[in-house]
Amino acid sequence: MEKDNSHLGEELGSKEQSQAVTSALLSLHFLFARRNQAAEQWRSEQLLSLLGTASAMLSPASSDTVACEYLSLEVMERWILMGFLVCPGALSSSPQCLELWRLALQGSLHVTLLRDETLQVHKVTEELLGSLKGFGKRVADLKECKEHAVTHSGSLHRGRRAFLRGALRELLALLEDQPGLLGPKALFVFMALSFCRDEVTWLARHAEHVTKTKTPEDFTDSHIAELLFLMEQLRALVRRQVRVLQRYHVQYLSHFDALVLSDIIQNLSVCPEEESIILSSFVSSLSALSVKEVDDKEQFDFTPLRLDWFRLQAYTSVAKASLPLGSNVDVGRVMNLVVFHTKLLDSLEELLAEVSDLSDLCFYPRSMEKMFVVTLEEPSMLRYSIAFPLLCSHFSRCLHPMCPEEYPRLKATALGLCNKFLEEMARQASACVMDACAEQHNLSEQLLPKHCASTISKARGKKTPKQPTKKGEPERDKPGAESQRRDRTLTTNMDKLHLTLTELSLSLNHVPNFTVFQHTVTPAEYLSSHLEMRFTKAIVAMAGYSQATQEVARPSEVLVGLNAYVTFIQSLGQLVGLDTGRVVRSVLLQQTQPRDATGQQTLTTIYTNWYLEALLRQASTGAIVLAPALQAFTTVPREGEPPFSAAEFSDVSEMRALAELIGPYGMKFLSDNLMWHVSSQVTELKKLVNENMDTLVQLRSSSCKPEQMVALLPRLTSAENVLKRMTIIGEILSFRAMAQQGLREVFSHHCPFLMGPIECLTDIVTPDTDIQVTLGIFELASAAGVPCEIDPALVNALAGSKMDGSPTEEDYKVACLLLVFVAVSLPLLASDPASVYNTEMDGYNNNIHCLAKAIIHVSAALFTIHNKNIETHLKEFLLLASISLLQLGQETDKLRARNRDSITLLMQLIVAESSFLTVDMLESCFPYVLLRNAYREVCRENLLSRTPQH
């Protein structure tokens, strides 16, 4: 087109050739005029309708020019417009040519040359005619046609698309209900597909190239997805019912076409021998067909027959042919029908590609993306949005054997578009699911016990005289009010979400999978991956963790929200057509690990950090106290600090909820972090022991010499630090024991058949059992939350923190002296004003009751590492502690002995905590009467402190 247009006609041939082109173009006049009509004319003629003439529903659809019935209108336009560029003189000499040319100019502004390369036909034609003399009128006609095309072509094609949507819906419904109609009405199917293909490509072409227009709505179509979807449905129906087509047309060819062709041959006035042989072979080949070939699933191949027909056309189309085809139109008419029917038997896929191939849209990605965006904005079109990803499966037809280098680029384009469409559909569907889950979460949250206070307050207020209500307090709806409505036409947010989700689910579940450039694409997996990602984020968001303020939601509240999410997602199993159980299991399993699949924090990490950094750190400062009677940590109220209830995060129900949320894996991670802190404290304690090594050795050897012990005690340094660190260890181990108890209850509920054997295994462990076997059994039991005499997690943590470079004997000596250090330091606690035993919470206000757990479990772990007898060393500790506390009774300084009775009770707590010690062992070194008197005195003091002063 870069050459001088004035020489175009001259270069393309002589007058005879121009006449041949003109004659060929005029043969399109009737067909093009019939096809290029407005939707109103199609509707009045009941085009593509099987119900228009119900009496003829079973009659075979036929035509004298059957191959032209599904010929592309765009191809005919291109032939006409480019043909008259070659021979413009025909426009002046023939009124029919002028009419045909004007009709073609009014339909499109751009004509396809190749793929996305288009020709601005009005501009090029005007340049050509303007350069020729005597074509002034044609230029005026051209401008008039261009104006008509600009003004009316968009609305013309929009009306056609609307008509075709209705026609295809009707045709598809009838054929799906009565597949047998596909046999006689096969031509209707291919005509419908061809018409739709023309309209879709016209829209894509013009949406890409027509940028400036007064009617932009003519070049966008929010309902194009339905047309594409119906095309895919019709194609799929033809493929499914291929046996119906074959059975019908095998019989049609053998019992009708063969007979008609035979009669025509017999009535021919002249038929040369060679042509007669070819025609006779047609009849014999068609007559030999039988339904048995279809039943036996034999492969048909009519390529030789169609090649012979092509050869016969060549013989009969030359000048002075003995059997001119133009004079024997019946032969051409019947053979065209035969060719169409044979293609239905052996070339169905090629025929479908010929009439409905949309692979050229691969070169219009922007137009496709715009169509897709508009589709998603139209709620009624969401169910058809899968048509866009399915359209990408056509793009492999763009390939050409002569251009293999295009394969990577076309493949990337097709897969990129398909992935983009499915990602967006899955994103919207998963957003609907999460929004609906959030609604369910809000409803379930209204049923939490904490919200009943206002209801109870109002109920109590009804019994008292009415008080004026405060302004600004809105009336709170009771749970369940959202389900009450006076009119069903009033739609709620949940109704809208359900509708959108249903539409998108229908689309995503339309096909289980499809192929794009040899890649199998599964739409439901896109939704699954998006749902997993959003569900994971929603769970973490429910925890509401803030590292700056150390705020977090209670595990029980998160569990309620999680159950609401899981219940709703599981209810979608039938709707969305994916394995919701797999999605839920995958997400919840990730929450039991420190990091999820994307490397983000999980509930396990969040709650581990919070309990360590917030709750246990405050416990170590005395702001939070362990209350064994409540089986929870409680907050010590202090003025000027924001209210915080530790019990709301550490009671039995919260520990159960925590175990449900993070599971055994998460509890192990929590336990490992707790044990790391314990081992850090033990390492520091060993350093303190080394600083006081000589004094502790003398104290240990002077257990039978009280006077010498009294003299040595002042030489000890950092005794308070030792007790403080042991208390912190006890707080950590106490919290871990509470968490393990929660895990045990949850595990027993979910897997009672496993809990029984595990508990039996722990019962058969004896002191004579090999230590490695014992630790293996205890590790199994600990994973299920069963408490053990020796904590395997603590053993592993302390074994990994042995003093660097210290020999085993030296480390064992330090472990022994650590118990000595703790035992002789116990009397120092009596001088602490907070060391008062509180009978209400069954513990001390400074958490020193946690010392019992720390002493027992740390000693058991340390002596297990060194393979020593635990009971022997605990007896030694009991003896030294008893001597130290008995000496406290001789203390003359009342301040140093003011809480002696409370401290004395520690001996009972230590014995009760250990399975290695008994009350008889305690009685042998510490008179039980002292414990009884101490209990009585402590209870009396607690009772007096609660008595109001008068």
Side-chain angles (χ1 to χ4, degrees), residues 683-696:
T683 301
E684 295 300 318
L685 285 170
K686 288 179 178 180
K687 291 179 182 178
L688 296 176
V689 170
N690 281 322
E691 292 174 5
N692 295 274
M693 179 76 74
D694 296 337
T695 306
L696 290 173

Side-chain angles (χ1 to χ4, degrees), residues 438-694:
E439 290 275 348
Q440 295 295 329
H441 178 204
N442 292 337
L443 295 177
S444 64
E445 192 178 17
Q446 292 177 19
L447 300 176
L448 290 176
K450 66 180 183 180
H451 293 303
C452 69
S454 59
T455 305
I456 296 173
S457 176
K458 287 180 181 179
R460 293 183 62 185
K462 289 180 180 179
K463 300 178 181 178
T464 59
K466 290 186 178 180
Q467 298 177 353
T469 57
K470 296 180 181 178
K471 292 184 178 179
E473 292 185 2
E475 186 71 19
R476 185 172 176 269
D477 292 333
K478 291 183 179 179
E482 71 283 343
S483 299
Q484 300 173 1
R485 49 183 142 188
R486 297 176 182 176
D487 189 353
R488 188 62 186 86
T489 58
L490 298 175
T491 57
T492 64
N493 188 40
M494 280 298 289
D495 293 333
K496 296 174 183 176
L497 291 173
H498 271 288
L499 179 61
T500 304
L501 183 58
T502 303
E503 297 290 310
L504 286 169
S505 298
L506 284 172
S507 191
L508 288 168
N509 297 328
H510 177 63
V511 289
N513 53 65
F514 59 95
T515 304
V516 178
F517 275 88
Q518 300 178 351
H519 284 68
T520 301
V521 180
T522 307
E525 284 302 312
Y526 283 81
L527 176 57
S528 179
S529 61
H530 271 264
L531 206 53
E532 283 187 21
M533 181 178 63
R534 285 178 175 270
F535 189 21
T536 300
K537 291 181 179 179
I539 291 175
V540 174
M542 276 191 279
Y545 178 59
S546 171
Q547 192 169 6
T549 61
Q550 288 297 326
E551 293 180 355
V552 75
R554 295 167 60 185
S556 59
E557 293 181 4
V558 177
L559 183 60
V560 168
L562 179 61
N563 286 334
Y565 271 69
V566 170
T567 302
F568 184 78
I569 291 174
Q570 287 177 336
S571 70
L572 299 176
Q574 298 298 323
L575 179 64
V576 298
L578 56 86
D579 188 354
T580 54
R582 177 172 66 88
V583 173
V584 171
R585 286 193 300 271
S586 174
V587 172
L588 295 187
L589 187 59
Q590 289 181 48
Q591 293 304 310
T592 67
Q593 305 300 314
R595 298 282 173 178
D596 62 19
T598 60
Q600 299 300 314
Q601 281 190 340
T602 61
L603 291 180
T604 295
T605 306
I606 288 172
Y607 279 111
T608 297
N609 291 340
W610 187 85
Y611 278 109
L612 281 168
E613 299 298 327
L615 191 137
L616 291 176
R617 188 178 294 276
Q618 291 188 55
S620 66
T621 61
I624 293 176
V625 178
L626 174 65
L630 303 177
Q631 297 186 46
F633 284 88
T634 59
T635 304
V636 177
R638 294 182 180 179
E639 293 183 4
E641 292 188 4
F644 167 72
S645 176
E648 292 183 358
F649 292 85
S650 60
D651 62 14
V652 175
S653 62
E654 297 302 326
M655 291 297 101
R656 285 200 208 105
L658 181 65
E660 286 272 11
L661 288 173
I662 66 176
Y665 287 118
M667 296 299 278
K668 185 178 186 304
F669 179 78
L670 173 63
S671 176
D672 291 343
N673 277 268
L674 293 172
M675 291 308 162
W676 182 86
H677 283 271
V678 169
S679 76
S680 299
Q681 294 293 340
V682 171
T683 301
E684 295 300 318
L685 285 170
K686 288 179 178 180
K687 291 179 182 178
L688 296 176
V689 170
N690 281 322
E691 292 174 5
N692 295 274
M693 179 76 74
D694 296 337

Side-chain angles (χ1 to χ4, degrees), residues 298-373:
E298 294 184 15
Q299 294 296 320
F300 294 98
D301 185 8
F302 293 99
T303 307
L305 185 147
R306 290 192 289 270
L307 190 58
D308 284 343
W309 167 233
F310 182 73
R311 187 183 299 115
L312 182 62
Q313 291 179 78
Y315 291 163
T316 57
S317 299
V318 297
K320 297 180 181 180
S322 303
L323 179 65
L325 195 59
S327 304
N328 297 275
V329 293
D330 288 344
V331 175
R333 176 177 56 81
V334 173
M335 283 309 300
N336 280 338
L337 270 175
V338 168
V339 168
F340 175 64
H341 294 157
T342 56
K343 284 185 177 181
L344 291 174
L345 294 179
D346 68 346
S347 305
L348 186 61
E349 282 299 325
E350 288 78 0
L351 197 56
L352 284 172
E354 181 184 345
V355 299
S356 63
D357 179 35
L358 292 169
S359 58
D360 280 351
L361 293 183
C362 179
F363 303 100
Y364 294 100
R366 286 181 300 177
S367 296
M368 283 190 65
E369 288 174 11
K370 289 177 183 176
M371 292 178 192
F372 181 70
V373 169

